[in-house]
Amino acid sequence: MKHRGAIASGHPLTSAAAEEILRDGGNAFDAIIAAHFTACVVEPVLASLGAGGYLLAEPGDGPCRVYDFFTQTPRNQRAEGLDFYPISADFGTIHQEFHIGRGSTAVPGSVRGMFEIHRDLGSLPMRRLAEPAMRHARDGVTLNAMQAAIMNIVSPIYLATDSAREVFASRRLSGATLQEGERLVQPVLAETLEALATEGDRLFYEGDIAQAIVARNARGGLLTLEDLANYRVERRRPLRLRYRDAELMINPPPSSGGVLIGFALALLDRLPAGRRTDPGLVGRLAEVMATTNKARVDTLARGADSLSHLLDADLLEQYRTQVMQHHYCSRGTTHISVVDGDGNLASMTVSNGEGCGELVPDTGIMLNNVLGEEDLNPGGFFRWRPDTRMTSMMAPAALHTPRGRAVLGSGGSNRLRTAILQVMLNLVDHRMSIEEAVAAPRIHLEHGTLNLEPGAVASGLDQLQQVFGDVREWPEQNLYFGGVHSVWLAGSEFHAAGDARRGGCGIVLGR
């Protein structure tokens, strides 16, 4: 059963790294570690050794588990004297403010996460898993259209300091980040990857890299050697939910994304599936999104510990009634999915926020700016509880249906949960293939605006406008609607669907 499997990710080289490892006899967990290291090189805005995330792992011969290696708040909490400032990201139709600087960095978990996963589930040496990433960092990669566009959106971050400009500034266009077709070369990051693969994660959390991080943060930052040395990966049981004839395993609290997807599915579970593009069904799905947003605000106002109560039967019935009574009865993240020939499933979502704007000296690593993410700090900046695992929308998942098993997840800030939800509905309610489910048009309701991709509704747009008021039809599919990179296993048959909205690439071995 070796050399068989499927991979989906946000970059052809990320997927190719996983393929290389599977062909070399590695398992799905080896492959996803290699893919993550490579994503840190070829998807630099979305993934980093200074980031955090989650892996949902379902070994073919063991129980499903979640590795929580997301960021942790520092032990030292203060708002004065920090290097912490806003920038404006240009998304074309809107501008969004992010905060960056040394004071925006939370304790990163990605490096420890990869090593803990490897210790538990890996089979090949860590140095072998780092080889594709080391090669691409040393030799350089040609920036594709998607990565150039993403970097351009947040260019004020990647041009914020001399250390960032040295790596990410365009050589042919003054005052801009690297353009499509230019080479991104990161020899210092290659050396760091090699050192980590040789010496282990203590180098990052207690050794020379830790010293460099803290020396940098002494001037306007919050991280200390104690923060780094005490970082731990949390192993959690996944949230297990039923939806119609399917079973979902997804990221549990303190992350909020999995619970909110489960909440939306529970609202829909007793309602008829309907025709996917019918305006009544589209309106009902939008109303479920609105109700889920309200439930999130209501719950987080009582604290993140209240998240699990969203799935209580009585509370669900109250929210479901609100949906039925309606007129219709109705940020920098990337994802990798891998399945291997032994039936091991791996679903990993990671985020660096957008990056803090500065590289740690002599490492090539840009740390996260998660403390500067408004979505992750609903109570306001620097009001977080010290030394606490942060919450997130990230929701790597596995879906078991009578037709087969899917591994999926998405990037896209708060849009990722509506993207994952819709792909699940396409698989379960509409019996689509994984390729069709990922490619199908999506909707998203936010701040009172119902956003529609082309073809999301067959007719009846006037009805939707009467109910929701502000309805925006997008001219084409867009990365705004997430990137649900997914794989499918049915018996001995494999499928992979990289979401084109975010430059996705799917690879099947031994078809």
Side-chain angles (χ1 to χ4, degrees), residues 440-507:
R442 294 180 195 147
I443 72 170
H444 180 74
L445 183 73
E446 186 164 1
H447 302 311
T449 299
L450 177 58
N451 296 275
L452 304 171
E453 285 191 321
V457 58
S459 61
L461 192 61
D462 291 345
Q463 294 174 264
L464 291 172
Q465 288 174 329
Q466 288 173 14
V467 175
F468 295 98
D470 188 8
V471 177
R472 180 187 175 197
E473 292 184 275
W474 288 63
E476 58 189 15
Q477 291 191 339
N478 190 278
L479 60 83
Y480 175 86
F481 293 89
V484 189
H485 309 308
S486 309
V487 297
W488 177 265
L489 172 62
S492 60
E493 185 178 342
F494 296 89
H495 292 270
D499 197 330
R501 296 169 181 83
R502 291 192 170 223
C505 174
I507 295 175

Side-chain angles (χ1 to χ4, degrees), residues 219-510:
R219 302 182 303 279
L222 294 167
L223 300 188
T224 66
L225 288 175
E226 188 179 22
D227 288 322
L228 293 164
N230 286 282
Y231 183 87
R232 298 291 181 268
V233 173
E234 299 290 343
R235 294 163 176 80
R236 306 186 192 278
R237 293 180 179 177
L239 195 62
R240 302 181 78 102
L241 304 165
R242 297 293 306 184
Y243 177 68
R244 305 200 195 280
D245 60 355
E247 181 182 29
L248 171 66
M249 287 164 286
I250 200 164
N251 201 13
S255 180
S256 59
V259 172
L260 292 169
I261 290 170
F263 177 82
L265 288 171
L267 292 179
L268 291 163
D269 190 41
R270 298 181 189 175
L271 306 179
R275 188 166 61 90
R276 187 181 58 82
T277 58
D278 180 82
L281 180 62
V282 172
R284 187 174 69 210
L285 180 57
E287 188 59 33
V288 166
M289 292 178 183
T291 304
T292 305
N293 287 336
K294 181 178 185 301
R296 173 180 180 252
V297 173
D298 291 348
T299 302
L300 290 180
R302 299 193 297 271
D305 294 342
S306 302
L307 277 168
S308 58
H309 295 301
L310 274 178
L311 300 178
D312 290 349
D314 290 345
L315 185 59
L316 275 169
E317 190 57 39
Q318 292 178 32
Y319 282 112
R320 188 183 291 114
T321 299
Q322 292 176 20
V323 173
M324 291 297 291
Q325 288 177 345
H326 194 274
H327 177 79
Y328 269 113
C329 300
S330 46
R331 198 126 13 154
T333 319
T334 194
H335 181 81
I336 309 164
S337 295
V338 182
V339 59
D340 66 24
D342 294 322
N344 297 305
L345 306 181
S347 178
M348 181 185 290
T349 313
V350 298
S351 175
N352 199 37
E354 297 77 31
C356 70
E358 182 180 16
L359 301 185
V360 178
D362 302 318
T363 68
I365 299 172
M366 182 177 289
L367 298 175
N368 66 82
N369 69 321
V370 171
L371 297 182
E373 283 267 3
E374 188 174 356
D375 284 348
L376 298 180
N377 296 273
F381 296 125
F382 306 109
R383 295 182 183 177
W384 31 262
R385 185 186 307 170
D387 196 25
T388 302
R389 189 58 47 95
M390 300 189 74
T391 189
S392 168
M393 284 290 179
M394 289 185 281
L399 182 70
H400 292 200
T401 79
R403 298 188 299 128
R405 294 186 291 166
V407 181
L408 67 165
S410 178
S413 187
N414 60 330
R415 279 105 52 202
L416 68 83
R417 57 185 166 86
T418 61
I420 295 169
L421 172 67
Q422 289 169 86
V423 172
M424 289 180 178
L425 295 177
N426 290 339
L427 291 169
V428 177
D429 287 352
H430 308 299
R431 297 296 196 265
M432 291 182 176
S433 69
I434 193 70
E435 294 89 350
E436 293 169 333
V438 170
R442 294 180 195 147
I443 72 170
H444 180 74
L445 183 73
E446 186 164 1
H447 302 311
T449 299
L450 177 58
N451 296 275
L452 304 171
E453 285 191 321
V457 58
S459 61
L461 192 61
D462 291 345
Q463 294 174 264
L464 291 172
Q465 288 174 329
Q466 288 173 14
V467 175
F468 295 98
D470 188 8
V471 177
R472 180 187 175 197
E473 292 184 275
W474 288 63
E476 58 189 15
Q477 291 191 339
N478 190 278
L479 60 83
Y480 175 86
F481 293 89
V484 189
H485 309 308
S486 309
V487 297
W488 177 265
L489 172 62
S492 60
E493 185 178 342
F494 296 89
H495 292 270
D499 197 330
R501 296 169 181 83
R502 291 192 170 223
C505 174
I507 295 175
V508 175
L509 289 74

Side-chain angles (χ1 to χ4, degrees), residues 142-156:
T142 301
L143 213 66
N144 64 22
M146 178 60 64
Q147 295 306 314
I150 292 171
M151 191 177 293
N152 179 65
I153 288 170
V154 293
S155 58

Side-chain angles (χ1 to χ4, degrees), residues 127-248:
R127 182 177 177 82
R128 176 67 186 96
L129 306 187
E131 281 178 1
M134 291 158 50
R135 184 170 65 245
H136 295 313
R138 186 175 294 114
D139 297 344
V141 296
T142 301
L143 213 66
N144 64 22
M146 178 60 64
Q147 295 306 314
I150 292 171
M151 191 177 293
N152 179 65
I153 288 170
V154 293
S155 58
I157 298 175
Y158 287 78
L159 300 174
T161 61
D162 289 342
S163 63
R165 286 190 293 272
E166 184 178 348
V167 175
F168 299 110
S170 173
R171 278 57 169 172
R172 68 187 191 207
L173 186 62
S174 178
T177 50
L178 289 166
Q179 304 294 292
E180 180 183 1
E182 289 192 271
R183 298 284 288 178
L184 171 60
V185 184
Q186 302 172 85
V188 178
L189 182 58
E191 293 175 4
T192 297
L193 284 162
E194 185 169 13
L196 285 168
T198 303
E199 300 181 38
D201 52 329
R202 289 187 63 181
L203 176 66
F204 188 96
Y205 291 93
E206 299 175 48
D208 289 347
I209 296 177
Q211 297 287 344
I213 290 171
V214 171
R216 163 194 174 276
N217 269 265
R219 302 182 303 279
L222 294 167
L223 300 188
T224 66
L225 288 175
E226 188 179 22
D227 288 322
L228 293 164
N230 286 282
Y231 183 87
R232 298 291 181 268
V233 173
E234 299 290 343
R235 294 163 176 80
R236 306 186 192 278
R237 293 180 179 177
L239 195 62
R240 302 181 78 102
L241 304 165
R242 297 293 306 184
Y243 177 68
R244 305 200 195 280
D245 60 355
E247 181 182 29
L248 171 66

